[in-house]
Amino acid sequence: MKYPFLIIGSGLSGLAAAIRISNYCPDVLLLDQHSRIGGLNSYYYRNNRLLETGLHAITNYAPKKQKHAPINKLFRQLKIKRDEFSFKEQIGSQIHFGSDQILNFNNDVNLLISEVERLFPDCHDDFCSLLKKIEVHNPFQNTTGLSARKYLEEMISDKRLIEMLLCPLCYYGSSVENDMELNQFVIMFRSIFLEGMFRPEGTIRDFLQVLKQRFVDQGGTLRLKSKVSRILVKNNTAYGVELDSGEIIEADNILSTAGYEETLALTGRDLKTRIGKRLAFIESIFLVDDSIKNNLTTSKTIIFYNSGELFNYQQSAEIVDYRSGVICFPQNFQDIGISDPLEIRLTHLANYDLWQKLSSTPEEYRRVKLQCSARSAETAEKIIGIFSDNIVYQDTFTPVTIQRYTLKHEGAIYGSPRKIADGDIGFTNLFLAGTDQGFLGIIGSMLSGVSIANQHFLTKI
Amino acid sequence: MTRDEIKDLVLEIIEDIDEDADFDALDPAEPLRDQLDLDSMDFLDIVMELRKRHQLQIPEEDYPQLATLNSCVDYLEPLLKDA
């Protein structure tokens, strides 16, 4: 059978596009290399417990009545009722800089405004005019490539405040070293500071299940364990894909969520020059018995921290850059209830090449991985208190793990520094959605799938 | 379809997109977009639903003709006369 629509990757952008297209044309084939859907935001089982691979918090929280908020737009486009989920807002998060500066924020921007005034009294007016400018900025205009750091420096005189604001935004979505593309910055600023963080009750599995069910109910076909090894192209038109097994599937239109360079490589058109440096990360999950309950571990949702004078968001020279990081407590959302054991997730920038080299000697790779997660725990303990003696289970994803499971080249979860906003990568019927289209986060990637489906695929039904 | 049936069809489609849409004060001669607070993504849904339900292919250059409830009915009447 020749499919009118074929989608590569059942991560959140692929799933959203699949739901959107199959609502109007059921003959959609969604392929994934794995035995589970979700891409970067999937799950696995260890120690009799479901562990999520990527989820810290979902950004873009907005009440139901804000019709034009991205999250409400998204559910309307997917024709899924928001009430099918129960959303739990974050309790509160922090940005720690140096040994003494702590800026609190939550889903009410007034807290952030008063915290900025407390820590940077001279910047209060600057910050308020920044908020006004961000409110009216249209991030979907065609001005890519402007620097968010420059934009901030023109308005805010205190360098430390600029770095404190950039820290969470970079960690949750910048593929560019020490900066963000301006439109991307505005989207992230709104989604984290003005809208806010939440998570659905239950696990990411429950969330994915609702999406998958909708796609299947609309007549779509999902095929797991089907890795695409080639996209078959003649001139500038794609006519199908070849799977690892050698099977050929023909298609009229293809949407790839595999990344820009990754997709071009599948068509056999490798880029001659690499596009800038990719940022790789390492993440450790610790399950800890509840004797470490304290003020921070039970009441903070996310802590972003930077211990150095400057915030270095760049490709790590060492195997892991412990100078900054993210500490996430996935149970600390309103009305979720403390789980036992507690879960702590720690994230840092890491160096892909060094991990890649190590992985050729599995024993050494495992040893260094344990060493790094111990060092990472030690770094976090300076902020949240000692927990190393109470660990009942731990696991670590290196950039090599991420590349293996998600296809993201060099384990760069936020993809290429260059984004293709309209999804057009030079073919008549093969387009790009997902990470390298540019909308990030769970709501962002789903909107990416929806908007590329709207622009390039619905018109062909 | 009669003009009234077409009007109901359009309103039914909009209600599917936004269950809270309030038609009580709707002026059929004024743009739907402003009155019902629809954006371009919602608007595309109206076009796609017409395609799904009545196999109507509405070219992009005709979208402005769907601006108000009255203009929708005018535009759709000949296309749906046998529906």
Side-chain angles (χ1 to χ4, degrees), chain B residues 35-81:
Chain B
Q35 298 184 83
L36 299 175
D37 205 12
L38 303 175
D39 64 18
S40 56
M41 278 178 150
D42 298 324
F43 214 73
L44 178 66
D45 272 24
I46 300 178
V47 174
M48 291 306 298
E49 280 300 323
L50 288 167
R51 191 174 301 181
K52 186 174 168 179
R53 297 181 191 197
H54 295 283
Q55 291 76 48
L56 290 182
Q57 293 277 357
I58 302 173
E60 221 173 315
E61 57 268 25
D62 289 353
Y63 289 4
Q65 302 200 45
L66 302 176
T68 71
L69 190 56
N70 284 344
S71 71
C72 277
V73 176
D74 292 342
Y75 177 77
L76 294 172
E77 195 179 9
L79 300 173
L80 292 172
K81 66 176 187 308

Side-chain angles (χ1 to χ4, degrees), chain A residues 3 9 26 39 124-125 133 216 219 229 345 398 450:
Chain A
Y3 282 91
H124 173 71
D125 293 347
K133 255 187 119 167
V216 172
S229 55
R345 306 180 77 109
T398 74
V450 163

Side-chain angles (χ1 to χ4, degrees), chain A residues 291-326:
Chain A
S291 61
I292 66 134
K293 274 185 190 165
N294 65 37
N295 188 29
L296 287 179
T297 57
T298 57
S299 74
K300 291 298 162 236
T301 309
I302 319 272
I303 297 172
F304 301 89
Y305 72 90
N306 175 54
S307 57
E309 190 49 42
L310 292 171
F311 173 48
N312 291 288
Y313 185 80
Q314 59 196 43
Q315 203 175 67
S316 175
E318 311 288 325
I319 198 154
V320 176
D321 184 346
Y322 301 100
R323 290 174 299 176
S324 69
V326 184

Side-chain angles (χ1 to χ4, degrees), chain A residues 145-291:
Chain A
L146 297 176
S147 156
R149 194 180 275 274
K150 276 207 188 103
Y151 174 88
L152 288 168
E153 279 167 357
E154 276 164 22
M155 259 177 292
I156 292 175
S157 50
D158 196 304
K159 213 173 164 192
R160 176 56 71 94
L161 175 57
I162 294 177
E163 300 216 311
M164 286 181 95
L165 293 172
L166 278 174
C167 177
L169 307 187
C170 284
Y171 259 109
Y172 276 180
S174 179
S175 57
V176 182
E177 285 192 313
N178 289 318
D179 204 347
M180 292 186 90
E181 193 277 318
L182 179 59
N183 290 333
Q184 197 99 325
F185 163 80
V186 169
I187 293 174
M188 289 298 292
F189 191 99
R190 286 180 185 165
S191 54
I192 291 180
F193 291 137
L194 303 185
E195 294 173 345
M197 300 193 277
F198 72 100
R199 60 168 295 146
E201 193 170 24
T203 65
I204 192 73
R205 181 180 181 275
D206 305 316
F207 186 75
L208 291 169
Q209 212 58 34
V210 172
L211 301 177
K212 177 182 146 184
Q213 202 53 47
R214 171 52 56 106
F215 174 59
V216 172
D217 287 348
Q218 287 177 174
T221 308
L222 170 67
R223 272 184 67 178
L224 298 169
K225 294 185 195 164
S226 301
K227 185 173 182 173
V228 171
S229 55
R230 276 199 310 149
I231 298 173
L232 307 170
V233 174
K234 200 171 178 188
N235 301 321
N236 279 330
T237 301
Y239 61 92
V241 298
E242 184 179 331
L243 303 184
D244 249 7
S245 60
E247 183 187 351
I248 286 177
I249 305 172
E250 289 187 302
D252 295 321
N253 297 285
I254 298 177
L255 176 69
S256 170
T257 65
Y260 177 44
E261 290 177 56
E262 294 86 340
T263 299
L264 283 185
L266 287 173
T267 67
R269 287 191 193 172
D270 265 318
L271 283 178
K272 304 241 164 10
T273 49
R274 295 290 315 281
I275 315 167
K277 283 187 188 166
R278 287 179 164 247
L279 294 167
F281 297 85
I282 186 166
E283 175 151 315
S284 295
I285 304 174
F286 301 93
L287 299 181
V288 181
D289 72 43
D290 68 358
S291 61

